[in-house]
Amino acid sequence: GAAGKGDGPGAKVVRQTIRDFSSAASMREVDDRFLFEIIKKGSSQFGRSNAMPSWGMKLSDDEIRAVVAYIRTLASGGSATSGQRRETP
């Protein structure tokens, strides 16, 4: 959804729970590298739903890093932060 809570229109068709990007606790469980890779390669490459397509052919690495930075702002109250997080959800 618009606030990153995992409740958008696509959530109804995905059989797996969608991560709440607005939850600081949820986002501490993943690191920036994992977010980068799942955006670049698509979620099916990580044993998850194929609903998240690969963006690696449409976005540059810098653009993907910008998306990751934006995702981080959803849980941080508007400031992009990154830290030591696990590489897998």
Side-chain angles (χ1 to χ4, degrees), residues 3-69:
K5 294 185 177 292
D7 60 354
K12 296 174 184 165
V13 298
V14 176
R15 294 185 181 141
Q16 295 172 317
T17 302
I18 298 174
R19 183 171 302 278
D20 180 353
F21 292 146
S22 70
S23 164
S26 175
M27 294 309 293
R28 278 192 295 272
E29 296 177 2
V30 294
D31 69 5
D32 290 354
R33 179 179 175 171
F34 177 76
L35 293 173
F36 178 91
E37 293 295 328
I38 205 164
I39 293 166
K40 185 170 185 160
K41 297 176 183 175
S43 57
S44 65
Q45 297 298 309
F46 298 89
R48 300 183 61 86
S49 164
N50 64 357
M52 168 67 180
S54 164
W55 288 92
M57 297 299 286
K58 296 197 182 265
L59 300 175
S60 70
D61 286 358
D62 285 342
E63 289 171 319
I64 295 172
R65 281 189 277 279
V67 171
V68 171

